[in-house]
Amino acid sequence: MSSALRTRPVGILGTGICLPEKVLTNKDLEKMVDTSDEWIRTRTGIVERRIADPDTPTSVLAEKAARMALKNARIKAEDIGLIIVATVTPDMIFPATACLVQNRLGAISAAAFDLEAGCSGFIYGLVSGAQFVASGVYDYVLVIGAETLSRIVNWEDRNTCVLFGDGAGAVVIGPVPNGYGLLGIDLGSDGSGADLLDVPGGGSLNPATKYTVENKMHFLRMNGNEVFKFAVRIIGDSSIRALMSAGLKKEEIDFLIPHQANIRIIQAAVKRLKLSNDKVYVNLDRYGNTSAASVPIALHEAYEEGLIKKDSIIVLVAFGAGLTWGAAVIRWYE
Ligand code: ACO
């Protein structure tokens, strides 16, 4: 790990979430595509997911999660130096969704940018934001993972539409006492797997045309089997590398918060890390895969349920489109 992270310890001061009220169950999906509640539960662990109203873009979910995180951290919006929004579903190609959030929060001192690293986006954002706090450039940074995946899912494709949901999670990071906060990290990418998970239309490669719309190129496509194999390997590998960079062993993990994509992927990681199931947070049954929002939503819920306490060693780990992956080891401050 770079010495920059050790200049000033950086930790999470408060968390927040926003989940749309509308629930879409597996039973509802049975009426939309050729699938069954039984197939979805046994192959993924998902039971239901949340779907944002048509007039609610990603920035609104992000703003609400951020307000809760600010309140819990007891930090005012005007004291935030930087806002990072990790998302694959920004409101628009530009401007950055982070700027829309900055304006609505009244975060008058904040720089703002979006970060795109698929489902690993929140961990990339956390590590990026931490550099600014560690170096003393900013005292407080808002890191938000927010998604409206329902807007890019092909609701006629049973291979993908059963997997995803909408939501947002946010954290405020800032200085913490020595020995606490971010202790170790691991980030990585392998662009040779870029075509395993993508939205091919709407960018500079395939700008929006009648052809791209008719050929459903603005929807998410995924090679599920290949992503599955990659995920099973990388969750364990990345967690172990992050622990090593923190000088810790896997036996010292108090709680693992993995990206919530598929229960079978999580179970494989648990086995690899030799963890007991009560040390792993799972909420994908209720929310499905919310991409960049999944880790901060799970972190918030685990904290609110009293599963994370002062001095707990927690590992956040994710994988996603790119391909990308990331893990962060944190000693919880309060
Ligand atoms: N309902 C019923 N049958 C289905 C469904 C469905 N919803 N979806 C697929 N099937 C069928 C397939 O068509 C296939 O049928 P066939 O054998 O007749 O062709 C059969 O079920 C088995 O399909 P598999 O793809 O082999 O099923 P698998 O057990 O691999 O599960 C799944 C598929 C759930 C997608 C799994 O591969 C997976 O979870 N992959 C990882 C996905 C993931 O983590 N994505 C997120 C990445 S993060 C990001 O950045 C967004």
Side-chain angles (χ1 to χ4, degrees), residues 115-315:
L115 189 155
E116 209 273 78
C119 302
S120 318
F122 175 78
I123 293 178
Y124 267 67
L126 181 68
V127 173
S128 304
Q131 308 302 318
F132 288 95
V133 179
S135 60
V137 173
Y138 301 124
D139 285 333
Y140 303 110
V141 174
L142 248 177
V143 184
I144 308 168
E147 303 284 10
T148 46
L149 292 161
S150 60
R151 306 284 155 75
I152 60 164
V153 159
N154 178 357
W155 290 103
E156 294 172 354
D157 175 13
R158 69 175 184 174
N159 291 289
T160 52
C161 76
V162 303
L163 303 175
F164 299 99
D166 300 337
V171 299
V172 176
I173 59 174
V176 290
N178 279 331
Y180 289 96
L182 203 50
L183 303 180
I185 61 164
D186 177 61
L187 297 180
S189 68
D190 178 6
S192 70
D195 60 351
L196 296 179
L197 184 53
D198 64 9
V199 177
S204 59
L205 180 64
N206 299 300
T209 61
K210 193 162 173 276
Y211 177 86
T212 63
V213 172
E214 282 173 358
N215 285 279
K216 303 188 188 310
M217 291 169 70
H218 299 273
F219 290 131
L220 178 155
R221 305 183 308 189
M222 181 174 68
N223 180 333
N225 286 114
E226 288 304 315
V227 174
F228 189 91
K229 282 187 261 175
F230 155 71
V232 165
R233 176 175 56 80
I234 208 69
I235 286 224
D237 287 357
S238 189
S239 300
I240 288 168
R241 282 196 294 262
L243 282 162
M244 280 170 64
S245 83
L248 296 171
K249 300 194 190 73
K250 53 181 189 274
E251 293 73 27
E252 293 174 89
I253 300 177
D254 289 312
F255 214 72
L256 180 78
I257 301 190
H259 173 43
Q260 306 283 315
N262 185 316
I263 193 67
R264 291 185 293 141
I265 294 172
I266 293 176
Q267 281 164 350
V270 166
K271 206 169 152 197
R272 173 91 193 277
L273 294 165
K274 297 194 173 70
L275 284 176
S276 58
N277 283 326
D278 60 343
K279 287 189 169 184
V280 182
Y281 197 75
V282 175
N283 63 8
L284 61 82
D285 50 325
R286 289 176 283 136
Y287 307 134
N289 179 348
T290 56
S291 192
S294 118
V295 169
I297 292 172
L299 175 67
H300 173 86
E301 292 198 334
Y303 178 72
E304 289 292 310
E305 289 170 29
L307 300 167
I308 299 172
K309 301 182 178 68
K310 191 169 185 189
D311 285 309
S312 294
I313 296 289
I314 63 164
V315 176

Side-chain angles (χ1 to χ4, degrees), residues 50-97:
R50 302 295 180 94
I51 304 293
D53 291 335
D55 58 354
T56 301
T58 296
S59 62
V60 170
L61 302 181
E63 176 199 347
K64 289 183 179 168
R67 284 191 191 283
M68 191 190 291
L70 286 166
K71 190 166 172 238
N72 287 337
R74 293 189 246 5
I75 300 290
K76 294 194 190 93
E78 52 266 39
D79 293 331
I80 294 292
L82 171 66
I83 299 172
I84 301 174
V85 174
T87 186
V88 297
T89 48
D91 285 22
M92 295 168 269
I93 288 182
F94 74 86
T97 299

